Amino acid sequence: MPEKITNKNIVARSLASVWHPCTQMKQHEHFPLVPIARGEGAWLVDFEGKRYLDAVSSWWVNLFGHSNPRINAALKDQVDRLEHVMLAGFTHDPVVELSERLAKLTGLGHAFYGSDGASAVEIALKMSFHYWRNCGKTDKKKFVSLEGSYHGETIGALSVTDVAIFRDAYGPLLNNNLLVPFPAREYVEQAFTGFSAAKVSESPANSSVSLETILSSHHRDISALILEPLVQGAAGMRMYSPDYLKRSR
Ligand SMILES: Cc1ncc(COP(=O)(O)O)c(C=O)c1O
């Protein structure tokens, strides 16, 4: 019979077999892993029944709570009917329905699927380059991103990411892209000291000057601008004004 899983033995087995992401494994010599047996709504529960409030929604992924009954029922129903089929040369009703709903919500055209956020960013960068290539503009190879941006950790996504802890070791592998200043720094500071509406709309205007300068001086080489809309997560939940998004577009 297999050994009963406990908080203690699962942590030891994990440290001996799993390379935990975004982690310096040495930290776990002093800072223990949290063993999780199950999840319920906003709570995670360990093997001894201790509950933890999942305040970060498991990296902002479980926005509708753990073991959400409606989501779980849909997953079970789907897995019993069709667990997987390749999408090259084949199609099925869930992918068509989702794509139609996404198109309606976004006003964009066809949906292309990746396996995670970083691969979605890779796909977007490639699509943008490919578009310009089809237009005969093969020099448009550079991407513009904001200071402090985080777009994932595959090589292409990391090349538009500006968070030192993820990027520094791999610098020599990354394309030389263009960074523009984070917009509305004043807005962030003033949010805590009482800011005026006028100040908010002024600051993106000021900071978009640098974006404007880069676009006008490098437009022949630029393929796309990539942004985390309104909030930079990994940089520390830094907010910026919707005006900046509108003006950038
Ligand atoms: C804005 C943004 N882009 C891309 C990613 C990468 O997503 P993934 O971890 O699924 O590769 C993240 C992950 O947190 C993100 O916050």
Side-chain angles (χ1 to χ4, degrees):
M1 209 162 103
E3 190 186 13
K4 184 172 180 276
I5 298 176
T6 63
N7 280 348
K8 203 167 161 200
N9 69 23
I10 202 67
V11 165
R13 284 169 59 196
S14 192
L15 290 177
S17 62
V18 181
W19 197 345
H20 291 270
C22 295
T23 301
Q24 166 50 266
M25 291 288 284
K26 209 170 166 46
Q27 285 175 354
H28 288 310
E29 290 171 12
H30 306 288
F31 188 64
L33 285 165
V34 184
I36 297 301
R38 59 198 169 82
E40 291 167 10
W43 297 92
L44 294 167
V45 187
D46 74 11
F47 292 85
E48 291 165 7
K50 184 173 173 192
R51 288 154 72 83
Y52 298 85
L53 178 65
D54 188 3
V56 73
S57 303
S58 290
W59 251 334
W60 46 88
V61 167
N62 283 68
L63 301 180
F64 300 102
H66 292 278
S67 306
N68 179 298
R70 188 169 157 194
I71 295 174
N72 281 9
L75 287 170
K76 286 175 193 158
D77 172 60
Q78 183 58 51
V79 88
D80 284 340
R81 280 189 294 132
L82 175 64
E83 82 305 337
H84 173 256
V85 62
M86 64 185 187
L87 203 44
F90 293 76
T91 196
H92 48 82
D93 51 316
V95 79
V96 172
E97 201 180 307
L98 177 62
S99 306
E100 287 172 349
R101 288 169 71 174
L102 287 171
K104 222 177 255 172
L105 276 172
T106 60
L108 298 172
H110 294 69
F112 190 102
Y113 294 92
S115 47
D116 52 50
S119 75
V121 169
E122 297 288 333
I123 291 160
L125 300 179
K126 285 170 68 184
M127 266 187 190
S128 166
F129 171 77
H130 204 144
Y131 167 80
W132 291 116
R133 183 175 174 270
N134 287 353
C135 298
K137 298 194 172 180
T138 50
D139 285 341
K140 288 167 96 48
K141 290 184 275 209
K142 285 198 184 297
F143 297 95
V144 182
S145 61
L146 295 185
E147 188 195 337
S149 55
Y150 180 89
H151 294 290
E153 288 164 61
T154 51
I155 302 289
L158 203 52
S159 78
V160 288
T161 286
D162 180 42
V163 181
I165 193 168
F166 301 119
R167 191 186 155 103
D168 276 3
Y170 310 103
L173 300 179
L174 306 177
N175 289 345
N176 206 1
N177 287 314
L178 301 162
L179 270 186
V180 292
F182 179 75
R185 204 166 299 173
E186 294 147 82
Y187 167 69
V188 178
E189 279 153 23
Q190 307 227 348
F192 299 99
T193 54
F195 59 92
S196 72
K199 196 81 192 165
V200 175
S201 56
E202 254 171 47
S203 47
N206 291 340
S207 51
S208 70
V209 170
S210 357
L211 175 59
E212 219 165 305
T213 307
I214 287 204
L215 292 178
S216 56
S217 54
H218 292 273
H219 64 92
R220 280 186 193 80
D221 309 324
I222 290 173
S223 184
L225 163 71
I226 178 165
L227 297 163
E228 290 154 275
L230 303 183
V231 54
Q232 289 190 328
M237 295 299 168
R238 293 204 294 185
M239 308 291 298
Y240 62 90
S241 161
D243 289 348
Y244 186 84
L245 270 187
K246 287 188 195 135
R247 294 199 46 161
S248 318
R249 173 165 263 196

